Amino acid sequence: MSKKLLVAQILFFLLSMGIFNHQALAQDKQKFTISGYVKDASNGEYSIGANVYVKELLKGGNTNQYGFYSITVEQGKYHLVVSYIGYENYEKEITLDKDLRINVELKPSMINAKEIEVSSEKSDKNVSSSNVGTVKLEMEEIKKIPAFLGEVDVLKTIQLLPGVKSSGDGNTGFYVRGGGPDQNLILLDEAVVYNAAHLMGFFSVFNGDAVKSINLIKGGMPAQYGGRLASVLDISMKEGNTKEYHAQGGIGLISSRLTIEGPIKKDTGSFIVSGRRTYIDVLARPFAKPESTLKNSGVYFYDFNAKVNYRLSDKDRLFLSGYFGRDIMTFNDKPAQFRLDIGWGNGTGVLRWNHLFNDKLFMNTSAIFSNYDFTFGAQQSGFEFKLFSGIRDWNMKVDFGYFPTIRHEIKFGVNYVFHTFTPTSVSAKQDETEFDFGPVKRQKAHEAAIYLSDDFDVTDKLKIHAGLRYSYFMQIGPFDRYVKDPISGQTTNVIHYTSNQKVKDYGGLEPRFNARYTLNSKSSIKASYTYNLQFIHLASLSAVTLPTDIWVPSSELVQPQKGSQYSLGYFRNFFDNAYEGSVEVYYKDMKNQIEYRDGALPGESINDNADNQFVFGTGQAYGIELFLKKRVGKFNGWIGYTLSYTKRRFPDLNRGKEFYAKYDRRHDVSIVMSYDLSKKWVFSAIWVYGTGNAITIPQSYYFIDGNFVTEYGERNSFRMPAYHRLDISATLTPDRTKKIEKRRARIMERKGITNPDEVNIPKKFFKNYESSWNFSVFNVYNRHNPYIVYFANEGSAYDGTLKIKAKQIYLFPILPSVTWNFKF
């Protein structure tokens, strides 16, 4: 019996015992259910992860992604408490002799952050939950952090967390616990985002004004998530204000943004639309000389978010959301008759229906569309060349949440995805003559999954999350398999698969297990085991994530990636839960990893299969993560440190010897600080340090028969210089009260009025209008962090003066920026 099957059987036993156990206990004493939704009283937005508990029992749960909660306890008199950081606690005395529906609207706290009361009963989520390797970030927290060129960025913020590494200066690509960029499941309102970067990775596709919450899972992945080995980044968009109309935005040095939201019907439905665009191309063009290529060239991005929600009844809600973004890069040299057009972007659409069957059973049904494509076009003297690649998904899923007792939260559901891959499609023509590169080679596949999980309290000290997922994948035709000779590499046969004919299929169980044992009210030990299958893969020739990378399915040659992760952690809170600390160790084993073979180029897949250029191997990653966070008060932030090792072994690379992965980083440190000096001024700073990336460099040079020959060292055996950087920012929010008084004084002086009460000021305008100025400095001490290291020849080999020197290119010196933000 395999170890994976044994774990699956144990999990099934635990799930069965948990379900039967709560049914048996339910027969002992009469129980009733308290359920409802939790909202923000100021705007009607549903509160995700709010603490809802019974004060006398000190037990309860959290609201789900749609603000719903359900608690079942024995008959009696209790106090129901709802708490959320930044909001006033809600408390209500109830007599529980029947099922109750209690919808709660939380009021934002108006007291100083320093004085916010931390509820010791349920603000200990760091210690009490069964989550392992999970971090939740709020947008208000992210907006305080210094931003690159003034643009608030979700992905750059998660790179500051332990266990998460960036892929380079100014880049939004990230690597989690030794996994590659394709091993991160990035979701926006449940839709997969395949390329989360704008402008070659300098900005992310997520507009901070449209984002509501961010949840990163880097270990202990729950069973409802699948299809990736490393992590889940689950991002939820705002729903829109159901109370009144508002607009907010910002104007910066290189980009501007605008968001409008408001009610469709007050307290029933709402909308939000949000857009951004960079304009460095527009600003630079007037300064370009008429003969300069800059005059007709440029690079920019734009994106657009929209969402509508409507409450049909107390049991039914509809959500419709979408995202569309494009990057445009053009280069036009008219004298040379040369033009270059490059574009890439994502598009998503999600329709969701929430239905409440009863006080214990919640359902969400989603229809999801995701698309990513990359286009490259070049023209010169009548010759045109175009290249296209992309991936498109149609997804249907149904998820259930069942809350049988206060000790259990059961989730189950099904998911189906239809994939269409376009690894590389090429067309070309010279004047009216078209070149035949064959038909567009699309690949299609079905992917499906079913899952069941239970988060249950075995005892007051022991809590277990057990889950089981079964995933299935099948590549189908039409498809042509080009069979290669292993020696010459020439095509020896072509196998034709007709439409919907099975090419290859895979399937398997994916057990998930988390456990938390409470040592005392301030500390706990947590452990997790996850096994994941990944059926789609990203093929990349670069050390960073680029638009040219292609997505390919599992096939006859490409087996699903398989990953097992073990983690163990000690979690502790300090000073009445004001500080959260953790120490986690992890080990990850990965099979069927993918790399391009040495010397391969993406364009070689014309009249060929992309996977004929791949080689396959194994990987392992292990490390320790330390994290300390201050949650509340005027001064807050966190310190993170990671010591990690990431290794790969491919029989066809590096002579079969083990090598460090290109994103292996031994030490990684991040310090994030924010200080609310007053209502007007907020100061923040970040400092990061990381071991240099691993690269392959020339080892020696020879002259053989008059030819200059370069011999390279072992793969990724050289380290670039260490990366470190300091960023600072200051945010000024003018005092609106003083504005009112100044205006009152001017009116009194102009009209000769001595009684201030006689001056009528439109307070509503000042009440709703807010503005702030953000001043930030990127790379304060002007560190020249290397982006590329290359080797240049100086002198001549013929006279013995040849010298090889390593040189580096860095991207960003010290960069100040200023952004004006507004809201009304």
Side-chain angles (χ1 to χ4, degrees), residues 64 68 70 72 359-362 401-405 408-410:
N64 67 7
F68 177 75
S70 178
T72 300
D359 294 329
K360 297 182 179 182
L361 184 59
F362 180 92
Y402 179 49
F403 308 86
T405 73
H408 287 267
E409 182 179 347
I410 298 171

Side-chain angles (χ1 to χ4, degrees), residues 212-231:
K212 180 178 180 179
S213 67
I214 303 100
N215 194 40
L216 174 67
I217 305 171
K218 52 186 178 175
M221 190 183 298
Q224 67 262 34
Y225 298 108
R228 301 294 189 275
L229 299 191
S231 74

Side-chain angles (χ1 to χ4, degrees), residues 494-505:
V494 180
I495 303 174
H496 300 280
Y497 294 90
T498 59
S499 180
N500 293 315
Q501 182 181 356
K502 183 177 78 172
V503 178
K504 183 66 177 178
D505 66 341

